[in-house]
Amino acid sequence: MTAAISFNHLLRLSDDIGLFEHALGSIPRREYGYCVDDVARGLVVLSREPSPPLELVRLLERYLIFVLAAQAPDGTIVNRRDTEGRWLDNPEVGDCWGRALWGLGTAAALAPTSRLRAMARDGFQASAARRSPWPRAMTFAALGAGEMLLAHPDDTAARALLTDAVTAIGPIGDDPAWPWPEPTLRYANAAVPEALILAGMCLPDSAALADGLRLLAWLLHVETRGGTLSPTPVDGRRPRGDRRPGFDQQPIEAAAIADACARAHAATGRNRWLTGLGRAHGWFLGENDNGTPLIDVATGGCHDGLEPEGCNANQGAESTLALLSTAQHARRLLASRTP
């Protein structure tokens, strides 16, 4: 079974400016405003949607305009905005910069009209010359650079950015028990192997591809418990001594697994990666550490986290987009599979 894809809650969380970050239950919390982190994620999801209706095309354009408005002249990104349209912080090259490039690169490759693709590509070029000192920000940027190269193999800015992102991620370890290039698992972990797999596909870089596939296989092993996905919780996961399972588990972790497994399947054609995608999809449906569905079929939203005895009642933007992204992969790759 695959989750039905409903954009109702995403539309509920959106207004004429952007996408509200937080919700109380399913009601948008306007007082917290918007952030590029989530609007860029929305741009990725809407760009991936095949043959979107006009309502979603207009929403995609609104998100794209939001991200472009967040760009400073030097390509850095301002993250937070209030409901009056005022930007609230300083431009930077942190995660919001990386996610902006992810969204812009994906829209440049996949948006449904040539005008939107051209707007996104111009925006991508404006920020792609920057570099971040933070490996995870470079990882998110690499996802956009990879999408750009899949559509435009001669794009030199995207190629340079993806090459530098592989260096920023760093070499994977020799210890088979902990090959991860960081001392802890943190957040959106599977984005790291996905970026390496994209580098392997696009540069091409056979060593990066092998490293990415190895890291993803290891991550799936570490984050599987009793045949179901048991993602790294908010507090992270260390090489030893952590209690299993860990809570609060976040939908972004399952979505990152789904993204990486779909990418690994595209790179190799091997069905083993569809098993990982199926576990990530199943996590939202209740195949998780306490058997609680995260999807709210009445609203089309997703609960904000898996707790020891249930789930967070709120349905914010990050969680709902994680559900939609994972359901898109499942619809494309799992729906036609026979049991």
Side-chain angles (χ1 to χ4, degrees):
M1 182 182 76
T2 58
I5 296 178
S6 169
F7 288 92
N8 288 342
H9 190 54
L10 189 66
L11 289 163
R12 183 181 300 112
L13 291 175
S14 302
D15 69 357
D16 291 340
I17 294 179
L19 171 63
F20 290 111
E21 181 178 9
H22 295 294
L24 181 62
S26 62
I27 306 302
R29 299 199 68 172
R30 297 177 57 86
E31 66 270 26
Y32 291 106
Y34 328 88
C35 66
V36 166
D37 284 322
D38 287 336
V39 177
R41 290 185 182 105
L43 194 52
V44 170
V45 167
L46 292 176
S47 296
R48 288 175 177 169
E49 186 65 12
S51 303
L54 182 58
E55 184 178 38
L56 293 187
V57 175
R58 288 173 173 166
L59 188 61
L60 187 157
E61 182 172 13
R62 203 177 315 154
Y63 290 175
L64 176 58
I65 290 170
F66 186 103
V67 174
L68 295 176
Q71 286 184 306
D74 64 355
T76 54
I77 297 291
V78 183
N79 193 25
R80 298 196 172 276
R81 196 176 188 181
D82 68 16
T83 54
E84 301 300 318
R86 296 172 299 209
W87 295 98
L88 303 178
D89 48 13
N90 295 319
E92 57 168 294
V93 288
D95 283 0
C96 64
W97 167 84
R99 290 194 177 103
L101 280 164
W102 182 13
L104 291 168
T106 305
L110 301 175
T113 72
S114 59
R115 181 179 67 87
L116 294 173
R117 291 193 297 273
M119 289 172 61
R121 189 172 186 183
D122 287 346
F124 180 90
Q125 298 294 336
S127 289
R130 301 296 306 226
R131 297 293 182 267
S132 174
W134 294 287
R136 197 54 55 91
M138 289 292 287
T139 297
F140 296 136
L143 301 180
E147 290 286 5
M148 178 70 79
L149 287 170
L150 290 173
H152 304 283
D154 296 329
D155 191 293
T156 56
R159 184 170 299 277
L161 177 57
L162 185 55
T163 300
D164 289 346
V166 172
T167 301
I169 289 170
I172 70 173
D174 294 328
D175 182 359
W178 193 267
W180 199 251
E182 299 166 321
T184 62
L185 291 170
R186 298 185 297 144
Y187 60 97
N189 292 292
V192 174
E194 186 188 1
L196 293 174
I197 292 166
L198 268 171
M201 297 168 69
C202 297
L203 294 179
D205 182 336
S206 59
L209 176 60
D211 285 349
L213 294 172
R214 179 185 166 200
L215 277 187
L216 181 56
W218 175 83
L219 186 62
L220 284 168
H221 173 73
V222 168
E223 296 197 331
T224 297
R225 178 174 176 267
T228 62
L229 191 67
S230 182
T232 296
V234 164
D235 288 341
R237 181 168 285 163
R238 287 151 289 276
R240 57 184 58 85
D242 289 338
R243 181 177 296 178
R244 306 292 182 97
F247 299 96
D248 174 18
Q249 295 175 19
Q250 297 289 292
I252 188 178
E253 299 304 322
I257 287 284
D259 281 346
C261 286
R263 192 73 69 186
H265 182 262
T268 67
R270 297 184 63 185
N271 285 338
R272 66 173 295 189
W273 305 115
L274 298 185
T275 299
L277 170 57
R279 287 174 181 166
H281 182 247
W283 184 86
F284 289 94
L285 302 180
E287 297 168 15
N288 52 47
D289 284 317
N290 66 19
T292 301
L294 277 293
I295 183 173
D296 185 335
V297 295
T299 66
C302 177
H303 294 287
D304 280 350
L306 189 71
E307 307 290 355
E309 297 180 357
C311 61
N312 188 316
N314 299 325
Q315 299 174 24
E318 178 186 292
S319 303
T320 294
L321 288 165
L323 167 66
L324 288 170
S325 174
T326 303
Q328 285 175 324
H329 290 310
R331 176 184 60 191
R332 181 171 60 88
L333 294 172
L334 300 181
S336 62
R337 295 180 78 200
T338 55

